[in-house]
Amino acid sequence: MAIWFQRIFLLLLVSCCASSDFLENPDFEAPPLNLSKNSNASSNAFVLLDQNSTLPGWTFQGTVQYVTSLELPDAGHAVQLGEDGKINQTFIAKGDDLNYILTFALIPGGQNCSTSAGLSVSGPDSNAVFAYRQNYSKVPWQSYTHNLGRLGNGEPINLVLESEAIDSDTNSTCWPIVDTLLIKTVGVTVVQDSGNLLTNGGFESGPGFLTNSTEGVLIDAVPSVIQSTLWQWSVIGTVRYIDSEHFHVPEGKAAIEILAGTAPSGIQTATRDTSEGSRYNLTFTLGDAKDACIGHFLVGVQAGSASQNFTLESNGTGSGEKFGLVFEADKAAAQISFTSYSVTRTQEDLLCGPVIDEVMVHSIGGTASVKPTWLLLLFALLYVAIL
């Protein structure tokens, strides 16, 4: 029964997290009205858009330039948002109670700049500012993610991207270049698997990965699990969402690499259905991402009122080791957190750190049982019938 139920859970989880094409011209490969689609490096690399220009799928204001020749994650076309530059596009939600998660590529728009301007990303229920930072990837662009909000079927979603100056000297500012936008939907209700009192403990539900990305997705600090793109986990500092295709992932297709820079970074969540005063066992896998991250990992783990530091010597080749911690629940929803205190860099001076995966909480008195509901039974029968 446990295996049968777990299979239903995994199937339902995948169905809630399927990516869809919501945006028109998300990679800017369809050129402006006054520019040939075959423009390449022989042409002017930056074409200023004016009132005679039309960028398919998008409206724009301020200083916006169409980029035709750069090292980018797709075929080499993007948009630079200069001073007061803004683009936006409205699309329609296609399901009830779904979170709309945006992943996008960001690159600074110049060299030898004193500052890099920020990129403001807004949705119906959210706003955040992102800035390109050195020492986070081997390629000259980075993938970031933002939760646009939770919306119902048929509701309009207005996605707005605009530059945000950080320094008053705009003449020496690198204005942001944006490319390859991807929208992914994540259901707000995920059925839990057999006995684990944590939701999304394997980190399988998170932002989408860009097709040509090899560097994972950076998730900046998000104090609220409601606004986080890592389903049911809040983020402290910066973490990297990594995929099994390009990194060592202990289990499944995704995991979290914690990047501790000038301050500690980490992730935090809460258990469900724990009883105050009862004892539980927290288990997790601590490892490295196989990204040449060599060093001493120190991760602080807190579970309820208990806390303990765990260490791992990493040789950067894809190691992993299981650890555990017994704790007593101090309330019905016990806090679980992982914090990295180690500033670790590769030989290329790129920030790296410990990988966390397979986080599980079980009752000491026995594995908590989760009984299939009639809805799940019906879902399973429908699935079998389709097959």
Side-chain angles (χ1 to χ4, degrees):
M1 177 65 74
I3 295 176
W4 175 83
F5 180 78
Q6 191 171 36
R7 287 175 179 172
I8 294 178
F9 162 74
L10 292 174
L11 177 62
L12 187 57
L13 179 62
V14 170
S15 69
C16 288
C17 300
S19 296
S20 302
D21 294 326
F22 290 94
L23 297 174
E24 180 185 351
N25 196 20
D27 53 8
F28 307 107
E29 290 306 299
L33 183 64
N34 59 342
L35 187 67
S36 169
K37 188 174 183 179
N38 297 322
S39 295
N40 51 38
S42 62
S43 305
N44 183 13
F46 293 83
V47 178
L48 180 64
L49 304 185
D50 56 27
Q51 65 271 18
N52 297 319
S53 305
T54 300
L55 185 61
W58 301 88
T59 59
F60 59 89
Q61 299 176 27
T63 304
V64 178
Q65 299 194 85
Y66 188 68
V67 183
T68 64
S69 178
L70 272 181
E71 185 178 348
L72 295 167
D74 58 12
H77 296 84
V79 165
Q80 182 181 45
L81 303 178
E83 186 174 4
D84 300 322
K86 179 171 71 173
I87 60 173
N88 72 283
Q89 181 173 155
T90 299
F91 62 95
I92 304 300
K94 297 180 181 179
D96 287 326
D97 291 330
L98 296 176
N99 279 302
Y100 288 79
I101 308 299
L102 171 70
T103 303
F104 60 94
L106 179 64
I107 184 171
Q111 298 178 348
N112 302 320
C113 310
S114 61
T115 59
S116 291
L119 176 71
S120 173
V121 180
S122 302
D125 300 326
S126 61
N127 173 261
V129 177
F130 302 86
Y132 182 91
R133 289 168 291 172
Q134 300 295 330
N135 307 119
Y136 278 85
S137 62
K138 292 179 289 186
V139 296
W141 55 272
Q142 297 165 353
S143 296
Y144 286 90
T145 180
H146 179 65
N147 189 345
L148 298 177
R150 171 182 171 181
L151 297 111
N153 189 41
E155 290 189 70
I157 303 174
N158 187 30
L159 169 61
V160 181
L161 308 175
E162 56 186 316
S163 62
E164 184 161 311
I166 297 176
D167 196 301
S168 58
D169 184 8
T170 57
N171 292 326
S172 61
T173 296
C174 282
W175 298 101
I177 293 177
V178 186
D179 192 19
T180 316
L181 291 87
L182 172 69
I183 302 290
K184 178 179 179 179
T185 57
V186 177
V188 298
T189 302
V190 179
V191 178
Q192 196 59 38
D193 67 332
S194 54
N196 187 7
L197 299 180
L198 289 181
T199 301
N200 197 26
F203 308 111
E204 297 300 297
S205 184
F209 295 101
L210 301 183
T211 302
N212 295 323
S213 173
T214 61
E215 303 296 303
V217 181
L218 296 173
I219 307 178
D220 281 341
V222 184
S224 168
V225 294
I226 297 176
Q227 296 177 335
S228 177
T229 62
L230 184 63
W231 181 237
Q232 289 299 310
W233 292 82
S234 59
V235 176
I236 305 165
T238 300
V239 302
R240 191 196 318 271
Y241 192 55
I242 60 174
D243 64 311
S244 58
E245 183 177 351
H246 301 100
F247 298 88
H248 170 69
V249 170
E251 188 275 332
K253 295 183 178 181
I256 289 298
E257 181 182 18
I258 304 178
L259 309 178
T262 57
S265 294
I267 53 176
Q268 180 174 295
T269 190
T271 61
R272 61 180 182 85
D273 300 333
T274 51
S275 299
E276 184 176 353
S278 297
R279 297 171 72 241
Y280 298 88
N281 187 31
L282 167 68
T283 60
F284 62 94
T285 298
L286 174 62
D288 75 88
K290 198 178 178 180
D291 54 1
C293 193
I294 301 173
H296 179 79
F297 293 159
L298 174 62
V299 176
V301 178
Q302 181 166 355
S305 58
S307 62
Q308 184 175 332
N309 290 335
F310 295 86
T311 61
L312 180 73
E313 294 297 331
S314 170
N315 58 12
T317 58
S319 61
E321 185 176 344
K322 288 187 178 295
F323 293 91
L325 170 65
V326 174
F327 69 97
E328 184 177 289
D330 54 350
K331 51 186 176 181
Q335 294 294 314
I336 306 293
S337 66
F338 296 85
T339 306
S340 174
Y341 299 99
S342 306
V343 180
T344 318
R345 298 176 185 268
T346 68
Q347 291 184 346
E348 298 173 303
D349 199 33
L350 302 176
L351 280 172
C352 58
V355 169
I356 305 294
D357 201 6
E358 298 181 282
V359 185
M360 304 186 75
V361 171
H362 289 107
S363 171
I364 292 292
T367 301
S369 62
V370 181
K371 297 180 180 180
T373 63
W374 286 109
L375 178 62
L376 286 178
L377 291 173
L378 179 60
F379 183 85
L381 291 173
L382 289 173
Y383 178 65
V384 172
I386 292 174
L387 292 180

